[in-house]
Amino acid sequence: MNKRVLIEDKLIYFTDVYSSDVSREYFQSLKETIEWGRDEIMMFGKRTKVPRLTSWYADPNVKYSYSGLELIPRPWTPELIELKSLAEKLSNHSFNSVLLNYYRGGADSMGWHSDDEKELGTNPIIASITFGYPRRFLLRERTDFNNKKEIELEDGSVLVMRGDFQETYQHSIPKTAKKVGERLNLTFRTIR
């Protein structure tokens, strides 16, 4: 496992956390066993389908809301508890929920945003695990949209966002016309 601190102590990237064989097993199992859905959110005053499949698993009664959508938790699976345990170890933080995203190809994406919802509290810690095809993770300063950085999130990697990262930066997974494979992303969070 390699560790790189990308922005002070706010963004830490661990590569090769899982071997390609283990990553492939997790990818296939999660793709088949998670209850995936395609929710509608409010964007610019109108309802639109989320451009990827999602699912929310959490401790009982842990609800999460964003963009006019309220997520009701599904109970943890043994596999998700295993992954949560590693995310907690790498981030030195305890999580009570995970938002899973399934990117089926290059048309599936995540727009510019910060994970700064009230339920996450001040300076939230979020650990993001990637399985499957690598995708570009873009970030930009909230005070200077021209100041952008890019990371390729690799199969079997973990990205930890912490400190005032969400206050200072926005991030996205952009659409791409390139032929890309499927990717699963698990973002572990603590809802207060």
Side-chain angles (χ1 to χ4, degrees):
M1 174 177 8
N2 297 312
K3 174 182 175 182
R4 288 186 288 172
V5 177
L6 302 173
I7 299 176
E8 298 160 0
D9 201 28
K10 301 175 190 183
L11 193 65
I12 302 165
Y13 184 47
F14 298 89
T15 58
D16 305 314
V17 175
Y18 296 98
S19 70
S20 57
D21 288 344
V22 171
S23 291
R24 192 170 23 261
E25 287 174 25
Y26 272 123
F27 178 90
Q28 202 55 45
S29 178
L30 293 168
K31 180 180 167 183
E32 293 170 4
T33 61
I34 294 298
E35 295 182 46
W36 298 105
R38 189 157 180 225
D39 295 314
E40 287 188 351
I41 58 172
M42 288 298 290
M43 281 186 67
F44 309 112
K46 59 182 184 180
R47 296 201 73 70
T48 184
K49 289 243 186 230
V50 173
R52 64 197 169 279
L53 301 181
T54 62
S55 196
W56 176 250
Y57 286 74
D59 292 353
N61 301 316
V62 173
K63 296 179 183 175
Y64 182 48
S65 302
Y66 69 95
S67 300
L69 179 66
E70 184 175 309
L71 303 175
I72 308 300
R74 293 180 172 90
W76 292 100
T77 67
E79 198 166 41
L80 289 175
I81 290 171
E82 280 175 24
L83 294 166
K84 180 170 87 80
S85 178
L86 181 102
E88 290 175 338
K89 181 179 173 187
L90 291 178
S91 65
N92 196 27
H93 184 74
S94 181
F95 298 108
N96 63 9
S97 56
V98 62
L99 179 63
L100 295 98
N101 293 290
Y102 175 18
Y103 298 84
R104 298 159 295 176
D108 283 3
S109 64
M110 170 91 67
W112 286 109
H113 72 287
S114 294
D115 295 312
D116 57 0
E117 292 80 14
K118 181 177 66 173
E119 300 99 317
L120 295 172
T122 305
N123 294 338
I125 296 174
I126 296 174
S128 172
I129 300 177
T130 293
F131 294 121
Y133 200 87
R135 288 288 294 267
R136 293 169 58 224
F137 176 86
L138 304 181
L139 58 129
R140 67 185 183 188
E141 288 184 17
R142 290 175 77 161
T143 57
D144 181 5
F145 285 174
N146 293 318
N147 191 1
K148 295 180 185 172
K149 297 180 187 207
E150 178 177 325
I151 307 161
E152 185 167 83
L153 297 178
E154 299 171 7
D155 183 32
S157 67
V158 178
L159 182 73
V160 177
M161 297 175 274
R162 58 198 235 174
D164 67 353
F165 180 82
Q166 303 300 336
E167 252 179 68
T168 309
Y169 295 92
Q170 291 183 325
H171 54 281
S172 74
I173 302 288
K175 291 182 189 296
T176 179
K178 292 181 184 175
K179 186 167 174 74
V180 298
E182 299 169 301
R183 171 184 183 258
L184 296 181
N185 176 250
L186 295 80
T187 55
F188 291 91
R189 303 151 187 261
T190 304
I191 304 298
R192 309 214 177 270

